[in-house]
């Protein structure tokens, strides 16, 4: 595709051309500002979520060190190799 298919034709009148350019710049600045606000809000929510999880995690009782957690499989004795 040609690059001209994606270009915007500005009006010929100088005052209208300046108005379109200023409007585009304001729109671009607004989108950047909105992105920064949404990004800051997302960071604030994530930080709050991590702090709440850490705070709730400390209120639990510590795990018993004698208990081993994991996934285990039962191995039949006759399938083990001889240890002689």
């Amino acid at each position: 595709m040609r690059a001209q298919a994606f270009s915007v034709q500005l009006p010929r009148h100088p005052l209208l051309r300046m108005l379109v350019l200023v409007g585009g710049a304001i729109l671009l600045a607004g989108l950047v500002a909105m992105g920064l606000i949404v990004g800051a809000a997302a960071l604030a929510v994530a930080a709050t979520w991590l702090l709440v999880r850490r705070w709730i995690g400390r209120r639990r009782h510590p795990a018993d060190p004698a208990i081993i957690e994991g996934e285990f499989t039962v191995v039949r004795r006759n399938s083990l190799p001889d240890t002689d």
Side-chain angles (χ1 to χ4, degrees):
M1 289 194 142
R2 293 173 25 164
Q4 291 176 352
F6 297 111
S7 66
V8 176
Q9 296 294 327
L10 293 174
R12 288 186 171 192
H13 194 276
L15 189 59
L16 192 56
R17 178 182 289 216
M18 187 174 58
L19 185 65
V20 168
L21 289 175
V22 168
I26 290 173
L27 179 66
L28 182 63
L31 289 173
V32 168
M34 185 61 77
L36 288 174
I37 290 170
V38 168
L43 283 175
V45 167
T48 305
W49 177 256
L50 288 174
L51 286 173
V52 167
R53 282 184 57 201
R54 179 176 283 182
W55 180 64
I56 290 175
R58 288 185 181 170
R59 299 178 87 191
R60 293 185 194 155
H61 299 291
D64 186 9
I67 298 175
I68 301 174
E69 293 185 18
E71 295 182 14
F72 303 97
T73 27
V74 177
V75 179
R76 297 176 193 241
R77 186 172 277 281
N78 57 5
S79 66
L80 295 174
D82 290 330
T83 57
D84 297 330

